[in-house]
Amino acid sequence: MKILVTGASGWTAQSILEALYADGHTLVGFDLLTAQAPPAIIKLFTDYHTGTMQSYADVSASMQDIDAVVHTAVAIGDGDYDTPDIPFATNVRGIANLFEAARKQAMPPRIIVLSSATVH
């Protein structure tokens, strides 16, 4: 199965990626332009997209020919929760972008959402 993992360079995604890779899945990563995944994680991907969950175009481009999504991307930067703008744009609009891209691409209904940074 070809699986997109959002927030792919983050701590939460790392053990998920390792387990999916060990099970033989093809992995596609998606994370911020500034994110730096450890080299041991980067080697697990067949493709890696950079962008922001706030951009429908970025999210949609990363979902081409995807069978499933593990969504771990959330706002986690310093000061991100000082006002509601960044968490809303990333956490709420981002998930809406993900679901809309899946709907438009007629992706099978296989999306796992890991909630918010405070739950992680």
Side-chain angles (χ1 to χ4, degrees):
M1 188 177 303
K2 188 174 180 183
I3 302 173
L4 172 69
V5 179
T6 66
S9 70
W11 178 84
T12 301
Q14 288 183 22
S15 58
I16 294 167
L17 289 163
E18 291 165 352
L20 291 172
Y21 185 81
D23 284 346
H25 296 287
T26 301
L27 301 175
V28 176
F30 179 84
D31 215 322
L32 291 171
L33 294 170
T34 58
Q36 296 292 322
I41 296 298
I42 289 289
K43 72 177 186 176
L44 304 179
F45 297 108
T46 58
D47 198 6
Y48 197 90
H49 298 265
T50 55
T52 174
M53 292 302 298
Q54 299 172 26
S55 165
Y56 174 79
D58 291 351
V59 172
S60 180
S62 72
M63 293 182 65
Q64 300 299 311
D65 301 317
I66 294 295
D67 299 309
V69 176
V70 176
H71 178 59
T72 69
V74 294
I76 59 166
D78 291 336
D80 279 2
Y81 290 87
D82 292 347
T83 68
D85 299 336
I86 294 173
F88 181 85
T90 301
N91 303 349
V92 178
R93 186 176 301 118
I95 194 100
N97 287 338
L98 187 74
F99 285 137
E100 181 63 6
R103 184 189 70 78
K104 284 186 176 179
Q105 294 178 29
M107 191 191 105
R110 297 181 186 120
I111 298 176
I112 297 170
V113 178
L114 271 90
S115 190
S116 66
T118 54
V119 172
H120 295 198

